[in-house]
């Protein structure tokens, strides 16, 4: 019998009454492994109104007590690290090592949420005028929601609800319908950690659930991570409904290779950063820009990429797993075919990749293109597959100009042995996350995840201090306690503090 994925509504895990069902499949063979009943309008309403009720008491809970919930949660997540990674690997196809990394990077955010008392500290100035003090308080918003993509089913939900809840909000998580079982386990462990009923709710489904959340008057803030098209829709609809929105969207990440870089390190890093996780990372390197003579390194890069093969999640020799769905595979194969038609040279073609015994899986092998120009579809579209395209530049300036013309700005990296070159690059590049000899520079949670341009719609980013700002309001209080000698100063007819 197929597993029924459970919602978490009003403190109860339930398969729900929805009549519209979505099948969750194993990407390595496309056989069903679970089924989701999409949340009904009544279930969504129940979750939101229960979260609104829970907010009234949760916001009164002492901040150190909220931190203790996060401490218990991070302890449980660590105790269940391998179990979570196994669930995640089975529904995404990620290798076990990569799945563990997905869980771990989420646990790091929960560790950060344990610091919530100091993150919520306001500011104070004594004597802003004679006998008058001003101080600020950071207060929660109410019911917040998070809509997450398939590609990091542990890390990205954990970017959102632990910090939002630690700030005193209640939260409704709508994970990707393609791999919802990891989110269910995250919610079960949160419950086991002692979270009060109603503080976290989990609703499964697809666009219908999202669209209801975006417009609902009791939702105060929306965190979204996913594709550009949906990100724009979420941002536009959410802000039209007067909500606070942060929408993290697609990407096209370039890596620049300077002649003074270490060739072997560059090749090793490019292979992992382009085909790791089958290229299904928003920070994957999909464009390598070879400066000057480094273009002669491309044949060695090709050989290194050819030595990596896809495989099953529990195959320790597999470099990466399948794509998430047959549709995702068809899309990537279509882009590879279009690249060839438009005149790019395909030095390594993974279109026919397969894994013996699992031929029905969504396999695509490492693929490498040269001769790509800015006008080609391969360059313009986010591919989201194990495909690396090589471009060439005469100078660092030319490489920087290319990247700055690109509409996306999630991540970029530079390989060099020169501090001066690195400094120029980090100063001039119009991208929000920069790696110097680090191909995938995802910041740790005491910083924020700071995509720019078409990769992000909003103001405050994920985790770090910015997420605390996103999930809270600042209240500023100006206060005076009259002493006897101040009581007779007469009316103040100006706006000045006296
Ligand atoms: P997606 O946009 O298809 O789905 C994301 C979420 O939106 C899911 O929960 C889905 O149910 C919902 N959704 C899908 N279509 C919708 C619609 N029409 N209306 C309302 N909601 C809808 O994204 P995905 O394929 O799951 O994830 C891959 C994308 O996410 C890539 O583009 C990747 O770059 C991006 N991503 C970005 C970041 C980042 O931080 N910038 C991180 C991870 C992934």
């Amino acid at each position: 019998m197929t597993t029924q994925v459970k919602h978490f509504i009003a403190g109860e895990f339930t398969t729900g009454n929805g009549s519209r069902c979505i099948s969750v499949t194993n990407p390595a063979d496309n056989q069903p492994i679970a089924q989701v009943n999409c949340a009904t309008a009544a279930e969504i309403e129940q979750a939101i109104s229960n979260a609104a009720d829970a907010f009234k008491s949760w916001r009164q809970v002492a901040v150190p007590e909220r931190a203790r919930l996060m401490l218990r949660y991070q302890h449980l997540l660590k105790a269940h690290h391998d179990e979570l990674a196994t669930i995640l690997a089975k529904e995404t196809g990620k290798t076990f090592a990569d799945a563990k990394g997905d869980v771990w990077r989420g646990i790091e955010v929960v560790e950060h949420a344990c610091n919530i008392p100091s993150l919520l500290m306001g500011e104070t100035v004594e004597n802003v005028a004679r006998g008058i003090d001003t101080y600020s308080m950071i207060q929660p918003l109410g019911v917040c929601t998070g809509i997450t993509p398939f590609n990091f089913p542990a890390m990205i939900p954990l970017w959102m609800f632990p910090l939002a809840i630690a700030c005193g909000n209640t939260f409704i998580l709508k994970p990707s319908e393609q791999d919802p079982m990891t989110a269910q386990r995250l919610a079960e462990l949160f419950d086991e950690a002692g979270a009060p009923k109603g503080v976290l709710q989990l609703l499964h489904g697809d666009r219908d659930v999202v669209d209801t959340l975006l417009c609902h008057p009791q939702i105060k803030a929306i965190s979204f991570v996913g594709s550009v098209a949906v990100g724009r829709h979420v941002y536009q609809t959410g802000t039209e409904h007067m909500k606070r929105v942060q929408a993290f969207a697609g990407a096209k990440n370039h890596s620049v290779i300077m002649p003074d870089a270490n060739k072997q390190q560059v090749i090793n890093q490019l292979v992992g950063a382009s085909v790791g996780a089958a290229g299904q990372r928003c920070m994957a390197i999909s464009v390598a820009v070879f400066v000057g003579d480094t273009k002669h390194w491309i044949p060695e890069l090709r050989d290194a990429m050819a030595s990596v093969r896809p495989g099953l999640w529990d195959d320790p020799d597999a470099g990466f797993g399948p794509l998430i769905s047959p549709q995702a595979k068809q899309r990537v194969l279509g882009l590879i075919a279009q690249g060839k038609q438009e005149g790019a040279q395909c030095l390594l073609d993974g279109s026919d990749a397969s894994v013996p015994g699992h031929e029905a899986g969504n396999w695509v092998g490492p693929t490498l293109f040269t001769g790509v120009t800015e006008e080609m579809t391969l360059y313009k579209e986010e591919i989201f597959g194990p495909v690396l395209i090589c471009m060439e530049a005469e100078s660092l300036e030319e490489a920087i100009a290319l990247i700055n013309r690109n509409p996306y700005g999630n991540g970029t990296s530079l390989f060099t042995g020169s501090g001066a070159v690195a400094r120029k690059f980090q100063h001039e590049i119009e991208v929000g996350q920069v790696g110097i000899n680090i191909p995938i520079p995802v910041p740790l949670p005491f910083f924020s995840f700071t995509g720019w341009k078409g990769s992000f719609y909003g103001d405050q980013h994920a985790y770090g201090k910015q997420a605390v700002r996103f999930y809270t309001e600042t209240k500023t209080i100006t206060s005076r306690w009259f002493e006897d000698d101040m009581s007779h100063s007469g009316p103040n007819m100006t706006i000045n503090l006296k």
Side-chain angles (χ1 to χ4, degrees):
M1 213 178 84
T2 317
T3 307
Q4 286 281 338
V5 183
K6 291 183 178 144
H7 309 277
F8 187 38
I9 301 173
E12 303 296 330
F13 286 93
T14 164
T15 53
N17 301 314
S19 54
R20 208 160 67 77
C21 302
I22 296 176
S23 191
V24 182
T25 52
N26 173 359
D29 58 16
N30 286 310
Q31 291 302 308
I33 49 177
Q35 182 167 292
V36 173
N37 296 338
C38 293
T40 62
E43 286 160 351
I44 300 170
E45 194 55 45
Q46 189 195 357
I48 296 173
S49 82
N50 187 260
D53 277 351
F55 174 65
K56 292 179 198 146
S57 46
W58 178 243
R59 73 187 300 265
Q60 306 297 349
V61 169
V63 179
E65 195 49 49
R66 292 189 223 147
R68 279 179 211 118
L69 169 63
M70 295 303 153
L71 280 164
R72 293 192 299 274
Y73 190 42
Q74 64 90 31
H75 175 77
L76 275 175
L77 290 172
K78 284 177 185 163
H80 291 267
H81 188 177
D82 283 7
E83 180 211 334
L84 279 161
T86 305
I87 297 169
L88 191 157
K90 285 183 178 171
E91 63 178 351
T92 61
K94 283 189 187 192
T95 63
F96 189 52
D98 200 27
K100 283 204 287 190
D102 189 330
V103 177
W104 182 254
R105 299 243 40 189
I107 290 175
E108 289 176 331
V109 185
V110 182
E111 286 176 344
H112 180 65
C114 297
N115 297 316
I116 197 65
S118 44
L119 289 166
L120 285 181
M121 285 168 92
E123 295 171 314
T124 306
V125 173
E126 190 187 35
N127 273 343
V128 292
R130 200 163 73 87
I132 300 180
D133 306 327
T134 297
Y135 46 95
S136 60
M137 291 177 180
I138 313 288
Q139 297 194 333
L141 300 175
V143 184
C144 301
T145 189
I147 298 143
T148 55
F150 79 83
N151 68 330
F152 283 102
M155 178 183 82
I156 293 181
L158 292 173
W159 279 6
M160 298 176 180
F161 74 81
L163 268 169
I165 290 173
C167 286
N169 301 290
T170 54
F171 200 88
I172 296 182
L173 174 65
K174 204 303 283 173
S176 171
E177 66 280 20
Q178 299 192 84
D179 47 18
M181 291 189 288
T182 306
Q184 179 185 320
R185 194 69 191 118
L186 292 176
E188 286 166 356
L189 293 172
F190 197 57
D191 189 40
E192 197 178 322
K197 302 285 178 210
V199 163
L200 175 67
Q201 318 254 348
L202 180 64
L203 290 175
H204 296 289
D206 53 13
R207 56 184 303 170
D208 292 348
V209 178
V210 174
D211 285 341
T212 308
L213 293 170
L214 297 183
C215 306
H216 198 285
Q218 279 183 287
I219 300 281
K220 303 295 180 209
I222 300 162
S223 300
F224 168 86
V225 181
S227 59
V228 171
V230 183
R232 291 175 70 98
H233 163 67
V234 166
Y235 188 76
Q236 279 171 350
T237 312
T239 51
E240 265 169 26
H241 286 82
M242 312 305 283
K243 296 176 196 319
R244 197 174 281 196
V245 184
Q246 53 174 202
F248 298 83
K252 196 80 183 174
N253 306 311
H254 301 66
S255 190
V256 176
I257 297 105
M258 298 301 291
D260 61 358
N262 178 305
K263 182 171 72 173
Q264 196 52 52
Q265 282 174 6
V266 168
I267 290 170
N268 292 345
Q269 303 280 3
L270 283 182
V271 172
S274 60
V275 306
Q280 299 176 116
R281 292 177 179 142
C282 64
M283 290 287 278
I285 292 296
S286 56
V287 185
V289 185
F290 291 88
V291 177
D293 283 345
T294 60
K295 57 178 173 278
H296 300 303
W297 302 358
I298 294 174
E300 276 180 68
L301 172 63
R302 181 206 164 281
D303 294 346
M305 286 176 71
S307 71
V308 180
R309 61 168 183 82
L312 300 181
W313 73 271
D314 54 356
D315 172 357
D317 297 326
F320 57 95
L323 297 189
I324 190 70
S325 65
Q327 295 75 12
K329 174 175 172 170
Q330 282 316 315
R331 194 182 153 274
V332 171
L333 294 189
L335 285 164
I336 293 173
Q338 198 169 354
K340 293 176 194 167
Q341 275 166 17
E342 289 179 5
Q345 288 90 54
C346 190
L347 298 191
L348 181 65
D349 187 351
S351 304
D352 295 328
S354 191
V355 171
H358 292 83
E359 288 77 7
N362 311 316
W363 310 109
V364 178
T367 300
L368 185 69
F369 277 97
T370 56
V372 177
T373 63
E374 279 178 84
E375 295 70 39
M376 289 182 184
T377 315
L378 267 185
Y379 181 73
K380 289 200 270 195
E381 292 279 318
E382 180 185 37
I383 301 174
F384 230 53
V387 180
L388 180 63
I389 62 180
C390 300
M391 300 176 82
E392 291 168 24
E394 286 305 313
S395 62
L396 177 68
E397 287 76 7
E398 211 182 284
I400 290 174
L402 170 76
I403 298 170
N404 287 352
R405 280 195 298 276
N406 192 281
Y408 293 108
N410 216 31
T412 188
S413 57
L414 172 78
F415 288 95
T416 182
S418 158
V421 166
R423 193 174 186 288
K424 178 179 171 68
F425 183 78
Q426 72 193 31
H427 181 64
E428 294 184 10
I429 207 73
E430 292 165 10
V431 174
Q433 296 168 109
V434 181
I436 305 295
N437 297 314
I438 301 280
I440 303 192
V442 176
L444 268 85
F446 22 90
F447 290 91
S448 296
F449 186 92
T450 53
W452 279 18
K453 300 197 287 191
S455 297
F456 178 71
Y457 303 99
D459 308 289
Q460 303 286 349
H461 291 83
Y463 58 79
K465 291 182 188 134
Q466 294 200 21
V468 173
R469 288 256 172 244
F470 181 75
Y471 291 124
T472 57
E473 289 282 18
T474 302
K475 185 179 281 176
T476 311
I477 296 146
T478 299
S479 122
R480 165 164 56 196
W481 294 97
F482 288 106
E483 292 172 23
D484 281 351
D485 64 339
M486 291 177 176
S487 317
H488 311 293
S489 50
N492 177 8
M493 307 304 288
T494 74
I495 198 176
N496 298 341
L497 291 174
K498 289 199 235 178

